[in-house]
Amino acid sequence: MPETWPRPTYRQFVYRRTVLKLPLLVAAGTALAQTPRASAEPAPRSSGEITRWSADRANRWSQAQGWIVGANYITSNAINQLEMFQPATYDPRRIDTELGWARSAGLNSVRVFLHDQLWAQDARGFLLRLAQFVNIAARHRIKPLFVFFDSCWDPLPKLGPQRAPRPGVHNSGWVQSPGAEHLGDPGYARILQDYVTGVLTQFRNDDRVLGWDLWNEPDNPARVYSKVERKDKLQRVAELLPQVFLWARSAEPSQPLTSGVWRGDWGEPAGRSPISAMQLDNADVITFHSYAEPAAFESRIAELAPLGRPIICTEYMARPQGSTVEAVLPVAKRHNVGAFNWGLVAGKTQTYFPWDSWDHPYTAPPKVWFHDLLLPDGRPYRDSEIQAIRGLTGAQG
């Protein structure tokens, strides 16, 4: 979700009200109580300590999953992670509808961002909603990859009603987790630990969950929020990231842990930043981001392949830059690399605008969308993209 590039605005879509004819979903309490299917393989141990998965274990996990194709997903009526999962705005019917569209498009996974303040506000309520989300996704044969922390965009998240989107601006309301206020707070670190271990303990043996992305772009400075961004952010993140891996491993999840690299040279250890090195040295499954055209995308795979672990691109697709479904996804399949494009349904995040919209807000949607696969009513932005996904995954329309 790099924000060092531009992101555009757009005047509000005239959204048709979609009449959701779905039955009422199961009550959240029932969702949490439902017994998940357990993974057959226990977490590995070495000398009595929980360790990183071996490359062999990671590759066996990958073979069992098959080729992973997904989208980064937030409900179209939410501007950020808080609005998606807070009690007042959590919308299971919309989730059911939109994940149905995802499955129809040929996707088998979604990458979904969580937030520490949701846990701090009401841990049990948050777990109930999260369990219901997993149940809904499972009905559509969609496995979520959950993201715990994120260093992109607004460093001052606040619970409660979220602000309206800035007209014509890409991702104008996304928030960091943890925010600047809590990032360097030793007292709050206990809440962060409880958040990670609490969520993982609930789903540690649930094979309906694909995996755990511990920190999204941890070394991404929020350029457009530079006036309120912590000056010591990278230092604080570098201190916390290894702890997050340890917290997560202590829960002994049967799913893999990861954190995606997104910039720099990954081919040689000497060329990696300290944070990128932490990510690559601790991840069970290697993940990366690339919004580049196919040749550069393939070169990134070549940098990571010598690590001998499964590889997933957890963010791609910037159409004007040549990163498109039709161009990139066949490359990913050829190398058996999983791939998640950014954005499922166009909505309040406005990620169909480009990054440069932050500098020059748009007065109308661009002719060529930057991100997102579907219109607000579920129709494809481009039929050819959905046909390409279905053709590559063997999905039926």
Side-chain angles (χ1 to χ4, degrees):
M1 188 195 300
E3 65 89 22
T4 51
W5 296 287
R7 313 189 173 194
T9 50
Y10 106 106
R11 68 182 159 79
Q12 301 274 355
F13 268 118
V14 179
Y15 284 55
R16 289 190 317 171
R17 294 181 68 114
T18 302
V19 179
L20 302 175
K21 298 180 180 179
L22 302 169
L24 287 172
L25 299 171
V26 296
T30 305
L32 187 58
Q34 178 168 323
T35 303
R37 292 171 293 165
S39 173
E41 193 165 4
R45 290 179 178 270
S46 175
S47 302
E49 294 184 356
I50 303 164
T51 64
R52 182 192 193 191
W53 283 12
S54 67
D56 179 66
R57 175 174 165 80
N59 284 307
R60 283 187 279 115
W61 170 87
S62 179
Q63 291 168 6
Q65 303 308 310
W67 188 41
I68 298 163
V69 182
N72 285 267
Y73 174 60
I74 181 169
T75 43
S76 59
N77 61 347
I79 195 171
N80 59 29
Q81 319 92 304
L82 295 175
E83 194 161 50
M84 179 170 176
F85 281 108
Q86 285 187 133
T89 46
Y90 173 66
D91 191 345
R93 287 192 173 188
R94 184 174 295 271
I95 291 166
D96 200 358
T97 296
E98 293 179 349
L99 292 188
W101 294 342
R103 187 65 199 187
S104 178
L107 305 182
N108 53 40
S109 186
V110 287
R111 183 169 178 251
V112 178
F113 287 71
L114 311 179
H115 201 284
D116 61 278
Q117 290 190 16
L118 295 163
W119 174 271
Q121 177 190 46
D122 175 13
R124 177 165 174 77
F126 176 50
L127 283 177
L128 289 168
R129 293 186 292 280
L130 201 53
Q132 189 178 34
F133 181 93
V134 171
N135 284 342
I136 296 168
R139 289 207 302 273
H140 295 289
R141 292 173 293 137
I142 296 275
K143 287 191 174 187
L145 172 66
F146 288 116
V147 185
F148 278 106
F149 299 115
D150 187 3
S151 289
C152 293
W153 304 110
D154 189 347
L156 302 175
K158 295 187 184 304
L159 293 165
Q162 302 297 296
R163 63 177 179 267
R166 287 180 55 194
V169 176
H170 171 114
N171 233 349
S172 62
W174 200 268
V175 290
Q176 295 185 32
S177 172
E181 177 186 4
H182 292 136
L183 182 57
D185 180 357
Y188 194 77
R190 180 66 190 189
I191 293 175
L192 298 179
Q193 181 177 1
D194 289 346
Y195 161 52
V196 172
T197 57
V199 171
L200 280 166
T201 297
Q202 175 65 32
F203 298 101
R204 58 185 293 275
N205 286 322
D206 194 333
D207 70 356
R208 302 171 303 166
V209 173
L210 184 70
W212 306 97
D213 191 339
L214 299 186
W215 205 309
N216 179 69
E217 298 187 4
D219 50 349
N220 192 339
R223 177 184 63 84
V224 297
Y225 289 97
S226 60
K227 292 182 179 179
V228 291
E229 183 78 295
R230 290 183 67 115
K231 305 308 178 188
D232 64 346
K233 173 180 167 180
L234 294 188
Q235 181 183 348
R236 299 284 82 82
V237 170
E239 293 168 353
L240 190 56
L241 181 59
Q243 296 181 57
V244 174
F245 269 100
L246 290 174
W247 298 339
R249 294 217 185 277
S250 74
E252 304 183 52
S254 60
Q255 312 94 344
L257 307 179
T258 193
S259 178
V261 290
W262 69 285
R263 66 177 180 179
D265 179 3
W266 312 322
E268 295 294 333
R272 300 170 191 162
S273 71
I275 287 180
S276 291
M278 289 178 199
Q279 293 172 285
L280 294 174
D281 290 345
N282 285 281
D284 300 321
V285 170
I286 302 300
T287 55
F288 74 101
H289 297 171
S290 173
Y291 289 99
E293 44 79 30
F297 179 86
E298 193 163 26
S299 72
R300 288 309 222 174
I301 296 172
E303 289 179 38
L304 297 170
L307 297 174
R309 292 175 176 271
I311 301 172
I312 304 171
C313 177
T314 48
E315 291 187 23
Y316 85 95
M317 195 169 76
R319 293 182 183 93
Q321 298 181 180
S323 178
T324 65
V325 169
E326 296 101 317
V328 167
L329 207 54
V331 176
K333 184 171 185 180
R334 185 163 67 247
H335 292 279
N336 194 31
V337 167
F340 291 76
N341 70 273
W342 188 272
L344 181 62
V345 183
K348 289 177 74 173
T349 60
Q350 303 182 156
T351 53
Y352 38 84
F353 290 120
W355 294 312
D356 67 7
S357 60
W358 276 90
D359 300 314
H360 308 285
Y362 285 50
T363 57
K367 182 177 180 180
V368 177
W369 281 12
F370 203 68
H371 300 321
D372 301 326
L373 289 176
L374 305 176
L375 296 162
D377 62 4
R379 290 178 296 130
Y381 164 66
R382 285 180 173 169
D383 288 330
S384 60
E385 292 177 340
I386 304 307
Q387 293 305 318
I389 296 170
R390 289 172 179 166
L392 290 166
T393 61
Q396 301 298 315

